[in-house]
Amino acid sequence: SPVMLRPLMEKYENGVPEEVKQKRAAAREREERMGEDDPDLDVIGEWLRHGLPPHHERAVDDRLVTDEAFFEKVLPLMKIWAVRTELLDRLGPAIAAEQVDAMDPDVALIRDYLRLKLAPGESGRVEARLRRDEAFARKVAPMVRAWRVPGRLG
């Protein structure tokens, strides 16, 4: 005889404690508010890591030239990637593995930079400082090394 799934699900859901139901509802609401990952960011992340097949890489190259909205969206991520690559090349194995002090203003600044929370002028100053200020670069290098292209912006 066929299994009637709806009554089984209703019975199961009726047996779930209210606290668990509230947590699940809050998690669903958070997911809906956050939205899906942006496929443009996924593809630019793969492109930056050279993880695309050659024909897809060429398609992204073409899109960067022909699709202004795409270019404007991913440009800040491409800049961070370039700065990150330059820093890793320069400091390499000298990057310390220790934790950074979350209360340090320099750490807060680089965190905002990596989260794209700074105005373009401020971002440019952070990038210049990473190139010129060795103590700053060494201090924040573990965070820069750990940075990944986000799944969505904002």
Side-chain angles (χ1 to χ4, degrees), residues 15-131:
V16 173
E18 192 59 36
E19 180 181 316
V20 172
K21 287 180 185 178
Q22 289 173 354
K23 284 182 182 178
R24 288 179 183 164
R28 275 193 305 276
E29 184 180 313
R30 258 192 322 277
E31 286 175 13
E32 288 172 9
R33 200 172 47 246
M34 297 279 297
E36 296 290 320
D37 281 355
D38 185 331
D40 287 342
L41 302 183
D42 290 340
V43 78
I44 204 65
E46 288 298 315
W47 181 82
L48 289 166
R49 289 186 295 278
H50 301 286
L52 295 173
H55 63 285
H56 287 160
E57 189 150 329
R58 283 190 301 278
V60 173
D61 291 342
D62 291 344
R63 190 168 176 209
L64 286 166
V65 173
T66 60
D67 184 342
E68 188 175 338
F70 175 70
F71 179 80
E72 291 296 324
K73 181 193 299 187
V74 301
L75 180 61
L77 302 171
M78 293 167 46
K79 286 182 177 181
I80 292 173
W81 187 266
V83 168
R84 178 183 180 272
T85 300
E86 181 182 306
L87 184 73
L88 295 178
D89 288 348
R90 190 173 84 233
L91 297 181
I95 296 175
E98 71 244 13
Q99 292 287 340
V100 294
D101 177 5
M103 301 307 290
D104 185 313
D106 288 338
V107 171
L109 178 66
I110 204 69
R111 183 175 47 244
D112 288 346
Y113 168 73
L114 295 172
R115 291 179 178 169
L116 302 171
K117 301 289 184 193
L118 300 178
E122 286 181 272
S123 292
R125 285 190 288 281
V126 169
E127 291 160 2
R129 188 170 172 204
L130 282 166
R131 289 183 182 102

Side-chain angles (χ1 to χ4, degrees), residues 7-21 24:
L8 286 173
M9 285 302 297
E10 287 173 4
K11 183 178 178 183
Y12 167 76
E13 287 180 7
N14 288 336
V16 173
E18 192 59 36
E19 180 181 316
V20 172
K21 287 180 185 178
R24 288 179 183 164

